[in-house]
Amino acid sequence: MISTYEELPASGTELLALDARAVRTSIDVVAGVTSGDLDAPTPCEGWTLRDLLEHMIVQHYGFAAAARGEGDIGLWKPQPLSADPLGEYRAAAEHVLATFAEPGVLGRQFPLPEVRDGIIIPGTLAVSFHFIDYVVHAWDVARALGRTVDFDDDLLSAALPVAEAVPRGAERERPGASFAPEVPGAPASRLDRILAVLGRSPGWPE
């Protein structure tokens, strides 16, 4: 996960809109999940689709809590899926989008207890973290289902520099790192480049 950089690819207001679009795409992708899919492998090494959805749900609530200034690490602990995982995911996604839409959210300081043993960062930077996570996680879910996901060019153009700003090196090798080491090669598209930079093989599961 990135910790600092000076130039974001969009203004704060634009970034909120981009984040909302990525999250709503993830809602559409998750809507295709059935109970029989939950044990399917995902591009996230060692995670089933069930694990991934539990992670995505708690991350939405964790970022919403951070927007309120709450830094309790317990709020970021995944919980078992309910009997209605699709409804549960949609509720979590709508919750964080409603929180991010509150006046002044970008001017707040977000405590992120999962990142580097706990950091506090400006709201605009925190939203960029959430944005890139849900571009990638929407793709993760789609690939676990054997499908593809489409994003508009402007969204991918904004997401690529955020992905490129994520630190490389030994930090990617740490247990629990947000992203795996960069996948070498010459990706064919912006989305493929984003995925490769953040440790996904664009051709997964090949």
Side-chain angles (χ1 to χ4, degrees):
M1 184 71 73
I2 52 180
S3 59
T4 60
Y5 62 97
E6 295 179 355
E7 296 291 335
L8 285 169
S11 72
T13 301
E14 291 168 337
L15 191 59
L16 284 171
L18 290 164
D19 177 71
R21 287 164 59 190
V23 171
R24 294 203 178 281
T25 297
S26 77
I27 292 172
D28 292 342
V29 174
V30 170
V33 175
T34 69
S35 58
D37 297 320
L38 294 176
D39 292 325
T42 73
C44 304
E45 185 175 357
W47 281 8
T48 65
L49 188 51
R50 181 188 306 276
D51 298 323
L52 177 57
L53 290 176
E54 290 171 354
H55 168 80
M56 292 168 69
I57 288 166
V58 79
Q59 290 282 308
H60 285 321
Y61 285 120
F63 272 94
R68 297 189 297 269
E70 300 173 24
D72 181 359
I73 188 66
L75 298 172
W76 298 76
K77 182 180 179 180
Q79 301 298 318
L81 288 178
S82 72
D84 179 17
L86 307 189
E88 185 180 9
Y89 182 75
R90 178 180 289 276
E94 296 290 357
H95 177 76
V96 74
L97 292 181
T99 302
F100 282 3
E102 293 174 0
V105 71
L106 295 174
R108 302 176 191 173
Q109 296 293 307
F110 283 52
L112 298 179
E114 283 195 320
V115 181
R116 296 186 179 178
D117 300 318
I119 59 174
I120 300 175
I121 60 174
T124 302
L125 190 58
V127 172
S128 79
F129 286 16
H130 191 259
F131 168 50
I132 198 63
D133 278 353
Y134 285 87
V135 172
V136 175
H137 284 328
W139 179 86
D140 289 332
V141 174
R143 294 309 304 139
L145 297 174
R147 302 172 188 170
T148 59
V149 61
D150 294 318
F151 293 102
D152 292 334
D153 287 344
D154 67 314
L155 186 147
L156 294 176
S157 293
L160 181 55
V162 178
E164 294 275 11
V166 178
R168 274 79 155 179
E171 184 168 328
R172 299 276 191 102
E173 305 284 352
R174 294 173 56 187
S178 298
F179 298 106
E182 181 173 353
V183 174
S189 69
R190 284 192 187 93
L191 178 57
D192 286 354
R193 175 62 182 162
I194 290 165
L195 297 169
V197 165
L198 297 179
R200 266 71 165 176
S201 172
W204 188 93
E206 297 172 4

